């Protein structure tokens, strides 16, 4: 497995080695020993989630109040997503900055984000499916959201899907009503 740290401390990209033959493909999408060596600590697994999205569905920016925070290990099992990680750790030299990784069913990359980092995904084709491992069970009272289109964060969202057609962004009412970075962090 190849490991690449992202531009934000506490976030990594994992690209597995794939093995194929006339039966199909095999790869290890998570391996504790390689994860521990890269990150320096084990991933405590308390919940696993699956999300299926149409092209243009934008989920996030989501994060969990830190502490306790929620770490995630995310991969795409079908289709393609732009996975975006945002540094939401006050006092961090990269607070408010973001980095992204294309997660798809070709390269089979995974992204790990430590607690204190925000997360958003944009589906680049219909039926795209992500699976993610979480270090904390969903706790609604700790769940937080930021506006994915906040100009202060300035995420460069693609406007064209994997098939070359324009994307029409679709967000939940909760995500569309989320505050910007300045408003959210003035409350803390």
């Amino acid at each position: 497995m190849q490991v690449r740290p992202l531009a934000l401390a506490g976030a990594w990209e994992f690209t597995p080695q794939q093995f194929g033959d006339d039966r199909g493909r095999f790869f290890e999408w998570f391996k504790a020993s390689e994860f521990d060596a890269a990150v320096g600590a084990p991933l405590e697994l308390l919940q696993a989630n699956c999300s299926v999205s149409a092209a243009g569905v934008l989920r996030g920016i989501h994060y969990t109040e830190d502490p306790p925070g929620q770490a995630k290990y995310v991969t795409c099992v079908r289709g393609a997503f732009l996975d975006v990680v945002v540094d939401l750790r006050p006092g961090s030299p990269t607070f408010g900055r973001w980095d992204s990784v294309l997660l798809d069913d070709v390269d089979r990359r995974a992204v790990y984000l430590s607690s204190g980092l925000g997360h958003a995904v944009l589906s680049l084709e219909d039926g795209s499916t992500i699976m993610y491992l979480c270090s904390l069970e969903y706790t609604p009272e700790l769940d937080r959201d930021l506006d994915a289109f906040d100009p202060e964060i300035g995420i460069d969202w693609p406007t064209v899907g994997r098939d070359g057609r324009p994307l029409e962004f679709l967000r939940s009412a909760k995500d569309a009503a989320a505050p910007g970075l300045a408003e959210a962090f003035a409350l803390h």
Side-chain angles (χ1 to χ4, degrees):
M1 185 170 295
Q2 294 177 330
V3 181
R4 179 181 70 90
L6 297 184
L8 309 175
W12 289 267
E13 171 190 280
F14 294 82
T15 304
Q17 183 177 4
Q18 298 184 54
F19 303 93
D21 59 24
D22 57 351
R23 300 169 296 158
R25 302 195 77 60
F26 173 84
F27 62 97
E28 298 167 338
W29 74 279
F30 177 84
K31 190 169 187 176
S33 61
E34 293 190 26
F35 177 88
D36 295 359
V39 174
L43 174 62
E44 183 177 359
L45 176 60
L46 296 182
Q47 185 170 321
N49 299 328
C50 177
S51 178
V52 180
S53 300
V57 169
L58 175 55
R59 300 178 186 274
I61 302 169
H62 300 150
Y63 66 104
T64 302
E65 191 68 32
D66 192 23
Q70 183 187 59
K72 296 178 183 175
Y73 188 87
V74 185
T75 195
C76 177
V77 295
R78 179 174 182 234
F81 286 90
L82 182 69
D83 188 287
V84 176
V85 180
V86 182
D87 190 343
L88 300 176
R89 300 168 293 194
S92 167
T94 55
F95 178 77
R97 291 197 195 149
W98 61 277
D99 199 355
S100 65
V101 174
L102 175 65
L103 299 182
D104 64 18
D105 55 11
V106 177
D107 293 322
R108 309 284 184 180
R109 292 180 190 96
V111 169
Y112 172 72
L113 56 140
S114 302
S115 62
L117 299 175
H119 187 238
V121 291
L122 172 63
S123 176
L124 301 175
E125 70 179 54
D126 287 337
S128 292
T129 305
I130 55 170
M131 307 274 289
Y132 51 108
L133 309 176
C134 302
S135 68
L136 180 73
E137 291 181 9
Y138 174 64
T139 312
E141 62 271 17
L142 299 175
D143 190 38
R144 303 288 183 268
D145 307 292
L146 286 178
D147 182 4
F149 294 112
D150 181 358
E152 187 173 356
I153 299 171
I155 298 170
D156 186 17
W157 294 109
T159 57
V160 176
R162 195 153 95 163
D163 61 4
R165 292 189 311 209
L167 290 173
E168 292 184 32
F169 296 114
L170 177 61
R171 300 191 290 168
S172 70
K174 183 174 84 122
D175 286 351
L181 185 67
E183 181 184 351
F185 282 84
L187 303 174
H188 296 275

